[in-house]
Amino acid sequence: MASPVTKEALVKESTQDEQLHSEGSDPNEATSDPDTHDDTQEEQHEKLRREREARAQALTLEIVGDLPYAEVKPPENVLFVCKLNPVTEDEDLDLIFSRFGKIISCEVIRDKRTGDSLQYAFIEFEDQKACEQAYFKMQGVLIDDHRIHVDFSQSVSRLSNSWRTTTNSKRARQAGGFGGVASLEKKRQYRAVDAEKDRRRKNSSGYDLVLDRDDLHKERRRESDHRQDTHRSSRSRSRSPPRRDFRESFKMTATFNSLLDKLHLTSKDNEDPPAQEPTKEEFEELKDKYVKAGQDQVFAFYEELSVAEKAGLFERLKSFDPHHINELADKALNPPKTSDDDREAKLEPLPDDSTASVLDSKDEDIQSWYTSGLELVSKGQVAVVLMAGGQGTRLGSSAPKGCFDIGLPSHKSLFQIQAERIWKVQQLAEKESGKKDIAIPWYVMTSGPTRRPTEQFFEEHDYFGLQKDNVSIFEQGVLPCISNDGKILLESKAKVAVAPDGNGGIYQALLTSNVRTDMRKRGIQHIHAYCVDNCLVKVADPVFIGFAASKDVDIATKVVRKRNAKESVGLILQKNGKPDVVEYSEIDDATAEAKDSKQPDLLKFRAANIVNHYYSFRFLESIEDWAHKLPHHVARKKIPYVDTEKGESIKPDKPNGVKLEQFVFDVFPLLSLDKFACMEVKREDEFSPLKNAKGTGEDDPDTSKRDILNQGRRWVENVGGSVESEGPAEETGVEVSPLVSYGGEGLEFLQTRTIKAPAVIEKED
């Protein structure tokens, strides 16, 4: 309980007033501007009045038992996160934020009546430093397609609850009531709760809501009547560093207004022009299409929406053909029965004349392909397409996966490693041909949520030394999520539930983004396409380009040798006389374990798909002829949605719909065998995927880092150098920058040198 207001305290405040008046009558200020003098004096009085009011309110809250003590301060290890997607869960935030340090608790705040997310959360770290790092690193990042806002928590609710529980348990044995005072009953000053809810809260250490929904609306109405004063209070309550002002004054009213502001924050940066509501004619025309397709439920809440929301919904729905969506949904939900021919598909390895292996090819053949590939690069005929739509959610990061740092000594991201490999191939081609300013255009395909962060990352790093004009970032398409009864689902009243159309969407995206047009203008004839998560990928590999061009094929693919019969990988082979990819689950044990008749120590089906492909430009010129033939694969998912009849947000506990996607290799069976080729490469040199979170031991940041360092060590030792290390096993390798060597070449300067691992070789010296 706070000390009573004493006579000495009143005298002290009176003295402060006298000092203010005295300062205002300082003769040295007699020549000052009277208006400025009056303004300064008024500001000082206002500041003093606010401090008194804050102290009085805090003291009142202490007296009634709503605060443990008037000078209570928010914890320094708790973050407030808002503007969340309604589908974001506690576990999602815990996974993403745990990269900064151990998390004690992570709680998305939910409506007490409906259980719906209120789109903000509190994250408590064990360590204050980790909390501060998360504040600086996570501001404005994308999580589940929503750009979040992060601030230091201003809530003392958890502290108050803990104090109440402890105090009551100690004193209740001596007297009744709240805090041991019989005449006081426990009160919720800002939120009414029923007895059952109150009982549950006693056993919880979670965060209280500051205001009820009705109170929020009332407060916002009061706020609109006093906008200027509220704005001033809100600004004075910012918790962004430095935070001294907040800690000097605990003003409860300003805290409420500040929290209300935070729940409705909107970024002013990079704002688009104001949205325009579609005309009545445009709306009716679009709605008619959906009515005829039986999908008009998507307009159930249209009249309730704001102008911006109407414009957004209209633009999204306009991008879909509802009749085509119905056809896709019907095929997905009612697949044709498998025929006997399909069940008895004939599987065979690709013919010998369609394949090659760097493991057993002649050195002169490999050198010939390499020289030919560099020549095509020097002629400006080679381009690269990167499939980089994924976020690093599994890795504990909300950024695009290409931005991820796998922990190399140089701390280079995947994007930087791959960009430097492109730069190096350009340099090798210039050296081989004697030409200057050779360029390999790099087309980076993102998803909707990752496009802007990817663009910003490239801009911040000056395109990693590449010419900006030779880097194009474009976006893959999306498809609506479909309910089990074939209806397009709404994520919210103003948004269609959508999902990326898979890496097979690359073909349509090349058209809609005008990437193919740009390739045509540049005279591109050969395209290398790959996925971002392979840290060992040899981007624009001259050997691969030269091999595919020598075969005059439309598509070629790189594979690695399957580790064993049980490895869960897709296999490149021929199915019923056509090139295809067959998943491990589609092959029986006898087929998986079959041996090669020519090489009995090897598996018959061993060509593991690593999503690393070559395309001729002439083939991409025919996309319109075959894109509609590609199948859509079904993934049954639990998809949060809005009930279009009741207007309620539903979070299903079992799969309630499907997401449709295409795979990049779905196009393979459209080719004849003479237009398809396959090159086997060494796994340790070219394939190390990044799929899992750190510490899993397989396809994670540690294995990616290890594989790059081990590769560098082999390169050093191959030229006669040696590597020494006194550290742990994972620190025994060498990182050789792609700027120095693309594939182990040009390292003769390391001959007879001893490298102390771990080390980074960034230049020749």
Side-chain angles (χ1 to χ4, degrees):
M1 190 68 66
S3 303
V5 180
T6 63
K7 178 179 179 181
E8 288 77 9
L10 294 175
V11 170
K12 182 179 179 181
E13 291 190 359
S14 176
T15 303
Q16 289 175 330
D17 281 342
E18 291 173 1
Q19 289 175 344
L20 285 177
H21 286 291
S22 175
E23 291 169 2
S25 59
D26 189 339
N28 294 329
E29 298 181 1
T31 59
S32 301
D33 186 341
D35 293 338
T36 303
H37 170 72
D38 292 342
D39 290 343
T40 302
Q41 186 175 2
E42 182 179 348
E43 289 175 2
Q44 291 173 332
H45 277 295
E46 176 65 13
K47 180 179 179 181
L48 182 59
R49 184 191 67 78
R50 288 179 178 277
E51 291 176 350
R52 288 177 182 167
E53 182 182 354
R55 287 197 299 271
Q57 289 180 346
L59 184 60
T60 300
L61 294 174
E62 178 183 342
I63 291 172
V64 300
D66 223 54
L67 287 179
Y69 53 95
E71 293 78 17
V72 65
K73 298 178 180 179
E76 296 183 337
N77 61 331
V78 180
L79 285 184
F80 170 79
V81 183
C82 65
K83 301 180 73 178
L84 296 172
N85 190 312
V87 305
T88 302
E89 299 283 352
D90 300 357
E91 295 80 6
D92 301 329
L93 293 179
D94 189 284
L95 176 64
I96 292 171
F97 279 82
S98 61
R99 60 182 289 209
F100 300 103
K102 183 176 180 180
I103 292 178
I104 297 175
S105 69
C106 180
E107 183 177 359
V108 175
I109 306 304
R110 299 186 176 276
D111 186 286
K112 293 300 175 182
R113 288 186 287 270
T114 67
D116 294 339
S117 168
L118 294 181
Q119 298 178 254
Y120 67 97
F122 293 94
I123 302 174
E124 183 176 1
F125 288 86
E126 184 178 62
D127 179 61
Q128 179 184 345
K129 184 177 180 181
C131 182
E132 292 174 351
Q133 288 179 337
Y135 168 81
F136 287 111
K137 295 288 187 180
M138 297 301 292
Q139 189 66 264
V141 303
L142 282 171
I143 297 180
D144 292 330
D145 203 14
H146 279 223
R147 196 173 297 282
I148 66 169
H149 177 79
V150 180
D151 208 336
F152 294 97
S153 172
Q154 299 178 9
S155 173
V156 294
S157 176
R158 178 176 286 246
L159 296 177
S160 297
N161 282 345
S162 176
W163 171 78
R164 290 190 189 102
T165 302
T166 303
T167 302
N168 289 342
S169 64
K170 289 181 178 179
R171 298 181 180 176
R173 292 189 295 270
Q174 303 174 10
F178 179 47
V181 182
S183 60
L184 287 179
E185 293 297 327
K186 183 175 181 181
K187 296 180 180 180
R188 296 283 185 178
Q189 295 298 306
Y190 318 108
R191 177 168 56 85
V193 295
D194 58 36
E196 176 62 19
K197 288 182 179 179
D198 195 49
R199 181 188 65 77
R200 290 198 300 267
R201 293 300 292 185
K202 286 181 180 179
N203 298 322
S204 170
S205 61
Y207 292 91
D208 278 330
L209 295 179
V210 178
L211 297 172
D212 233 1
R213 190 179 294 269
D214 293 339
D215 294 328
L216 282 171
H217 291 308
K218 292 177 182 178
E219 184 67 24
R220 289 185 65 78
R221 284 196 295 270
R222 287 196 297 271
E223 184 183 7
S224 66
D225 294 335
H226 303 283
R227 180 70 62 183
Q228 185 173 359
D229 183 61
T230 301
H231 179 66
R232 188 185 303 118
S233 298
S234 176
R235 287 180 63 85
S236 69
R237 297 295 299 115
S238 173
R239 281 295 312 281
S240 300
R243 293 173 278 162
R244 296 188 184 91
D245 291 343
F246 175 78
R247 302 189 183 277
E248 291 171 358
S249 172
F250 187 78
K251 185 171 180 183
M252 214 59 172
T253 302
T255 302
F256 299 156
N257 292 334
S258 178
L259 183 54
L260 287 172
D261 286 341
K262 289 181 184 300
L263 293 176
H264 300 278
L265 277 171
T266 54
S267 174
K268 300 299 181 184
D269 297 333
N270 301 316
E271 285 190 343
D272 293 326
Q276 300 244 342
E277 182 176 352
T279 65
K280 183 178 180 181
E281 291 75 15
E282 291 173 331
F283 172 73
E284 292 298 336
E285 181 182 356
L286 181 66
K287 185 176 181 181
D288 184 60
K289 291 181 181 179
Y290 279 83
V291 169
K292 290 178 179 178
Q295 296 283 7
D296 52 308
Q297 77 284 348
V298 295
F299 296 104
F301 311 105
Y302 187 79
E303 297 304 324
E304 303 176 21
L305 307 180
S306 67
V307 170
E309 289 172 330
K310 287 180 178 179
L313 181 62
F314 179 84
E315 289 300 318
R316 174 63 78 192
L317 292 173
K318 190 173 70 171
S319 68
F320 299 133
D321 178 352
H323 295 284
H324 180 57
I325 298 301
N326 282 348
E327 293 174 2
L328 298 180
D330 182 60
K331 291 179 181 179
L333 299 171
N334 305 292
K337 294 183 179 179
T338 304
S339 66
D340 292 339
D341 290 341
D342 290 334
R343 283 193 293 267
E344 298 176 3
K346 184 179 180 181
L347 304 181
E348 290 292 341
L350 292 171
D352 291 344
D353 60 359
S354 297
T355 63
S357 174
V358 298
L359 281 71
D360 51 26
S361 291
K362 297 178 181 179
D363 290 342
E364 54 264 33
D365 288 338
I366 295 176
Q367 182 60 43
S368 175
W369 295 329
Y370 176 78
T371 303
S372 174
L374 285 182
E375 182 181 359
L376 295 173
V377 171
S378 68
K379 291 179 178 179
Q381 295 181 0
V382 177
V384 173
V385 176
L386 167 59
M387 292 171 277
Q391 288 178 291
T393 307
R394 286 189 184 180
L395 310 176
S397 169
S398 61
K401 189 178 285 188
C403 303
F404 195 78
D405 171 5
I406 60 176
L408 292 172
S410 68
H411 293 287
K412 292 178 181 178
S413 65
L414 293 173
F415 279 142
Q416 182 170 354
I417 293 169
Q418 293 162 21
E420 290 181 353
R421 287 180 183 147
I422 291 175
W423 182 89
K424 186 61 176 179
V425 173
Q426 293 174 167
Q427 299 303 305
L428 291 171
E430 289 181 1
K431 183 178 180 180
E432 183 78 13
S433 66
K435 296 180 180 179
K436 297 296 182 182
D437 300 323
I438 291 174
I440 300 174
W442 195 17
Y443 302 96
V444 182
M445 185 178 77
T446 71
S447 62
T450 62
R451 179 170 185 170
R452 185 55 190 150
T454 299
E455 291 173 336
Q456 291 175 334
F457 195 74
F458 273 73
E459 291 165 2
E460 290 167 1
H461 293 83
D462 198 22
Y463 296 85
F464 309 105
L466 300 177
Q467 290 295 317
K468 179 179 178 180
D469 292 343
N470 294 325
V471 179
S472 300
I473 299 174
F474 65 107
E475 191 175 321
Q476 72 182 105
V478 296
L479 288 170
C481 299
I482 308 297
S483 69
N484 287 333
D485 56 359
K487 296 295 185 181
I488 297 174
L489 293 171
L490 292 179
E491 173 190 316
S492 67
K493 292 182 178 182
K495 285 187 178 181
V496 179
V498 298
D501 55 6
N503 57 23
I506 185 176
Y507 305 115
Q508 194 64 36
L510 291 175
L511 301 185
T512 57
S513 64
N514 292 319
V515 165
R516 189 181 66 176
T517 300
D518 187 70
M519 289 180 177
R520 187 184 300 115
K521 291 178 179 178
R522 291 173 179 264
I524 300 300
Q525 297 298 321
H526 311 277
I527 297 94
H528 179 215
Y530 68 98
C531 287
V532 72
D533 59 2
N534 179 11
C535 68
L536 291 178
V537 63
K538 297 182 75 171
V539 189
D541 180 11
V543 174
F544 186 41
I545 298 293
F547 162 75
S550 71
K551 293 287 187 181
D552 192 29
V553 295
D554 285 332
I555 297 179
T557 185
K558 281 189 177 184
V559 299
V560 296
R561 191 167 290 179
K562 193 176 178 183
R563 288 193 180 104
N564 54 63
K566 298 297 184 181
E567 185 180 9
S568 300
V569 292
L571 295 173
I572 305 286
L573 41 67
Q574 58 171 312
K575 178 179 178 180
N576 296 331
K578 295 285 187 178
D580 209 339
V581 174
V582 177
E583 295 300 330
Y584 171 74
S585 58
E586 301 176 53
I587 301 177
D588 59 38
D589 289 345
T591 302
E593 295 170 1
K595 298 294 185 178
D596 189 330
S597 59
K598 299 177 182 178
Q599 297 175 284
D601 57 331
L602 299 178
L603 293 171
K604 179 179 181 180
F605 299 103
R606 58 182 180 274
N609 177 34
I610 60 174
V611 196
N612 194 323
H613 309 310
Y614 161 94
Y615 297 92
S616 69
F617 184 74
R618 70 177 176 228
F619 180 68
L620 297 183
E621 285 279 41
S622 66
I623 290 176
E624 292 90 340
D625 298 334
W626 47 259
H628 63 282
K629 300 178 183 178
L630 302 183
H632 285 80
H633 303 270
V634 175
R636 297 192 176 274
K637 299 285 186 178
K638 293 185 287 186
I639 306 170
Y641 69 101
V642 172
D643 187 320
T644 54
E645 294 183 0
K646 300 178 182 179
E648 298 176 353
S649 295
I650 307 295
K651 186 177 180 182
D653 55 8
K654 59 182 180 180
N656 64 309
V658 297
K659 294 182 178 181
L660 304 174
E661 61 180 348
Q662 295 178 309
F663 298 149
V664 69
F665 53 74
D666 287 333
V667 72
F668 291 2
L670 300 182
L671 296 177
S672 58
L673 286 173
D674 64 323
K675 289 300 179 182
F676 187 87
C678 176
M679 171 178 275
E680 183 184 60
V681 297
K682 293 180 180 179
R683 184 189 290 257
E684 62 269 27
D685 282 340
E686 297 202 37
F687 186 56
S688 180
L690 179 61
K691 304 289 186 183
N692 305 314
K694 185 179 177 65
T696 57
E698 182 178 355
D699 298 342
D700 68 0
D702 292 333
T703 59
S704 294
K705 171 186 174 181
R706 177 202 66 200
D707 290 344
I708 284 186
L709 296 182
N710 286 347
Q711 182 186 65
R713 182 188 184 105
R714 291 195 302 273
W715 289 353
V716 171
E717 293 174 343
N718 286 343
V719 297
S722 61
V723 180
E724 294 182 354
S725 174
E726 298 179 354
E730 64 270 16
E731 302 292 341
T732 60
V734 178
E735 179 187 355
V736 178
S737 169
L739 302 177
V740 175
S741 180
Y742 178 81
E745 81 293 334
L747 297 178
E748 289 75 18
F749 68 95
L750 295 175
Q751 189 175 13
T752 72
R753 292 268 297 272
T754 298
I755 308 296
K756 299 289 185 181
V760 183
I761 300 175
E762 283 284 4
K763 59 182 179 179
E764 297 183 21
D765 58 10

